Amino acid sequence: MDLGLKDRRALVTAASKGLGRACAEGLVAEGARVFISSRDPERTGREIGAAGWLASDLSSEDGPERTAGEAARVLGGLDIVIVNAGGPPPGTFQSTDLPAWEAGFQLTLMSAIRLVKATLPLLRQSEQGRIVFITSISVRQPIPNIVISNAMRAAVTGLAKTLSRELAPDRITVNCVAPDAILTDRIRHLAGGDEENVRRMAERTPMRRLGTPEEFAAACVFLCSRQAAYISGQTLGVDGGSTLGVH
Ligand code: NAD
């Protein structure tokens, strides 16, 4: 199937590894021109054949705006934005102090808001704009011991749903893709760097395995495609069937 992504101009943030990198690679494979950002994006940018890259901290006040400006300059506009950032640190409500909440707010919610603010004028000029937020399956089923993520992802999901209605007249679709246990460094880190814990985590899933970054990216790439033009305001879980709710 031709996904209509050839020469589409895409920005993928936090893409030096993990899910962001897989999404960037997936878009490059479909012929899109992809700009990536991360704190250290150069090596990945060269490896995957990105059209350009920028080192920037998305949780900083000017990081998202600088990233959007440079992506638009290099690509000559923007059609697709995949909004991603690193995950906040784990912790229960009782072990999480206020500075950690503030940092998580900046990293997960404000980075998304700033990036959309900065890219929206460009996406409005596109024939088919696409915004995809990488969130977490915690929006359906909060995950124990990761309270900042549970709270902030819910806020991003509310933002996405609101945007989907507001931007529909501009032909911009807005969706979320929610991963559960896709094997990346983030999961290895949450497993304490212990391969045995990763193996146990995999055994607890319905499919008895973790997802791959490529499987996750396939969902994001589809939502960026021409065929997905009438899908907006949705959260697509990529969880191997792990969530128990019916929605
Ligand atoms: P990862 O740790 O493998 O990669 C994170 C990427 O974000 C890296 O490229 C890193 O350089 C970049 N990054 C981190 N902080 C940044 C910042 N301040 N500014 C710019 N770039 C920054 O993580 P991942 O597994 O690819 O996860 C991506 C997102 O999805 C995270 O927010 C994570 O919490 C979320 N998530 C992942 C899973 C999963 O199964 N892997 C599950 C739920 C949620």
Side-chain angles (χ1 to χ4, degrees), residues 88-89 91-93 96 100-101 104-105 108-110 135-159:
T92 62
F93 181 77
T96 301
W101 274 106
F105 170 67
T108 307
L109 181 58
M110 283 312 296
T135 61
S136 167
I137 207 65
S138 68
V139 302
R140 302 232 162 95
Q141 204 164 270
I143 300 169
N145 198 39
I146 191 160
V147 67
I148 300 178
S149 176
N150 290 342
M152 297 302 159
R153 311 283 186 198
V156 171
T157 306
L159 169 71

Side-chain angles (χ1 to χ4, degrees), residues 14 16-17 19 38-39 57-58 84-87 153 181-182 184 186:
S16 62
K17 60 180 183 166
L19 305 182
S38 185
R39 287 167 302 184
D57 181 347
L58 280 175
N84 181 37
R153 311 283 186 198
I182 309 293
T184 65
R186 165 89 175 157

Side-chain angles (χ1 to χ4, degrees), residues 14-219:
S16 62
K17 60 180 183 166
L19 305 182
R21 174 180 173 140
C23 290
E25 279 189 284
L27 288 169
V28 169
E30 293 297 324
R33 295 172 57 228
V34 179
F35 186 96
I36 66 165
S37 81
S38 185
R39 287 167 302 184
D40 188 12
E42 183 170 345
R43 195 171 129 200
T44 299
R46 290 189 194 287
E47 282 175 3
I48 70 171
W53 50 84
L54 181 75
S56 77
D57 181 347
L58 280 175
S59 64
S60 67
E61 220 167 286
D62 67 342
E65 195 176 338
R66 281 197 313 118
T67 304
E70 188 58 12
R73 191 188 65 77
V74 169
L75 301 175
L78 263 186
D79 303 297
I80 295 165
V81 183
I82 297 193
V83 184
N84 181 37
T92 62
F93 181 77
Q94 294 181 82
S95 70
T96 301
D97 60 19
L98 290 178
W101 274 106
E102 176 61 32
F105 170 67
Q106 294 296 336
L107 177 66
T108 307
L109 181 58
M110 283 312 296
S111 67
I113 291 171
R114 290 191 176 107
L115 196 65
V116 174
K117 276 248 179 251
T119 53
L120 204 47
L122 302 154
L123 291 173
R124 277 211 168 98
Q125 290 167 30
S126 168
E127 266 172 41
Q128 287 205 353
R130 299 278 185 271
I131 300 174
V132 178
F133 294 96
I134 296 181
T135 61
S136 167
I137 207 65
S138 68
V139 302
R140 302 232 162 95
Q141 204 164 270
I143 300 169
N145 198 39
I146 191 160
V147 67
I148 300 178
S149 176
N150 290 342
M152 297 302 159
R153 311 283 186 198
V156 171
T157 306
L159 169 71
K161 189 74 182 171
T162 309
L163 281 170
S164 71
R165 298 291 302 243
E166 213 170 301
L167 303 184
D170 294 312
R171 304 169 309 279
I172 300 170
T173 67
V174 186
N175 292 289
C176 297
V177 183
D180 184 21
I182 309 293
L183 187 55
T184 65
D185 285 353
R186 165 89 175 157
I187 292 298
R188 293 187 186 95
H189 174 72
L190 291 175
D194 181 340
E195 282 304 316
E196 187 54 26
N197 285 343
V198 174
R199 200 184 55 74
R200 277 197 222 105
M201 201 184 272
E203 264 171 20
R204 285 196 297 270
T205 69
M207 292 188 183
R208 309 288 182 264
R209 69 173 181 87
L210 300 181
T212 68
E214 293 72 25
E215 287 169 322
F216 178 84

